Amino acid sequence: MKICVHGAGAWGTALAVNAAGRHEVTLWARDAAQAEAIANVRENRRYLPGLALPPSLVVRAGDLREAQAGADLVIVATPMAALRQQLIALRGTRVPVAWLCKGVEPALGGDAASFGMLAHEIWAQVAPTLKAGVLSGPSFAQEVAEGRPTALVAASPHAEVRDALVDAFHGPALRVYANDDIVGVEVGGAVKNVLAIATGLCDGLALGLNARAALITRGLAEMTRFGLALGARAGTFMG
């Protein structure tokens, strides 16, 4: 399989490194100087210092269409704020596309009265003909790059997108599970970070293990109710 990863941050680099041993992978960076530095030293010193890139991983900048020519799968590894422009640029792409970003898009135009969107809502608005989805889950980029055990979920209403993500990244250490509840997966991916921060505050205040357990339990219940209000399935949040 030929994979093009858009974005040479920590998460994009980690997945590119993880897949490079099994597939033909190109890591595209927006900044030409950054791409040249990574390619020359075979290390992303800014985001994953000390991790050597496999020799087979191609790092490049320049024309994005050229970089992804012939790709079987395109991965968007930019921050949420850049997803809209990335999806617009990908209009007309016929192969599966998946994004890695978690969270909510900043309100358009800085208007606090307008609600930010989840990634699938941006997709529906600007590039609805793309066969697309999300790769998400509780994970740290460094550990994925090092090949430590990790579980992720590939979510999309399109079976071919889920299958492509499983084929690309599922392996002995990185397990990828398929799910068609993209709303639930995106809400879980975004809100679990809020819950993680709250849990850290709980620990920092030395409130005890009972308080931490109550916070996580009630947090999961609230996360589930929020997801259900947006159209998700309850079972997704237990995963």
Side-chain angles (χ1 to χ4, degrees), residues 138-158:
S139 54
F140 293 103
Q142 183 77 35
E143 294 188 6
V144 169
E146 292 171 352
R148 298 190 187 187
T150 303
L152 299 175
V153 57
S156 172
H158 302 290

Side-chain angles (χ1 to χ4, degrees), residues 53-78:
L53 303 186
S56 61
L57 178 60
V58 176
V59 183
R60 61 175 297 174
D63 188 275
L64 188 53
R65 290 285 180 179
E66 290 183 9
Q68 69 184 41
D72 303 299
L73 173 66
V74 174
I75 300 294
V76 179
T78 63

Side-chain angles (χ1 to χ4, degrees), residues 195-213:
L195 184 56
I197 292 170
T199 305
L201 291 170
C202 185
D203 287 352
L205 293 169
L207 298 180
L209 298 179
N210 289 346
R212 183 207 283 173

Side-chain angles (χ1 to χ4, degrees), residues 78-232:
T78 63
M80 178 64 74
L83 179 63
R84 178 178 295 270
Q85 289 304 316
Q86 283 287 308
L87 293 180
I88 290 172
L90 287 167
R91 286 173 178 167
T93 301
R94 297 188 179 184
V95 301
V97 174
W99 48 85
L100 307 180
C101 43
K102 303 182 180 84
V104 177
E105 183 185 43
L108 293 176
D111 181 3
S114 68
F115 293 99
M117 293 184 175
L118 291 166
H120 73 276
E121 295 173 313
I122 301 171
W123 165 41
Q125 185 181 79
V126 303
T129 60
L130 286 179
K131 296 294 179 68
V134 61
L135 185 64
S136 188
S139 54
F140 293 103
Q142 183 77 35
E143 294 188 6
V144 169
E146 292 171 352
R148 298 190 187 187
T150 303
L152 299 175
V153 57
S156 172
H158 302 290
E160 64 190 277
V161 176
R162 301 193 299 268
D163 292 345
L165 289 169
V166 172
D167 291 344
F169 300 110
H170 191 84
L174 181 59
R175 314 301 286 181
V176 181
Y177 298 89
N179 190 323
D180 62 358
D181 181 13
I182 191 170
V183 178
V185 170
E186 288 197 338
V187 170
V191 182
K192 60 108 176 139
N193 290 331
V194 179
L195 184 56
I197 292 170
T199 305
L201 291 170
C202 185
D203 287 352
L205 293 169
L207 298 180
L209 298 179
N210 289 346
R212 183 207 283 173
L215 175 66
I216 293 173
T217 301
R218 297 314 306 159
L220 176 59
E222 185 173 333
M223 188 190 310
T224 303
R225 289 197 297 271
F226 180 60
L228 290 176
L230 294 178

Side-chain angles (χ1 to χ4, degrees), residues 3-79:
I3 304 169
C4 183
V5 179
H6 297 190
W11 198 204
T13 303
L15 275 181
V17 168
N18 187 281
R22 306 184 302 278
H23 305 288
E24 184 180 345
V25 183
T26 297
L27 179 63
W28 180 86
R30 178 179 57 85
D31 188 311
Q34 180 195 16
E36 183 179 5
I38 294 172
N40 288 340
V41 302
R42 304 307 299 171
E43 179 184 340
N44 191 334
R45 289 180 175 171
R46 180 177 180 181
Y47 293 105
L48 291 175
L51 181 76
L53 303 186
S56 61
L57 178 60
V58 176
V59 183
R60 61 175 297 174
D63 188 275
L64 188 53
R65 290 285 180 179
E66 290 183 9
Q68 69 184 41
D72 303 299
L73 173 66
V74 174
I75 300 294
V76 179
T78 63

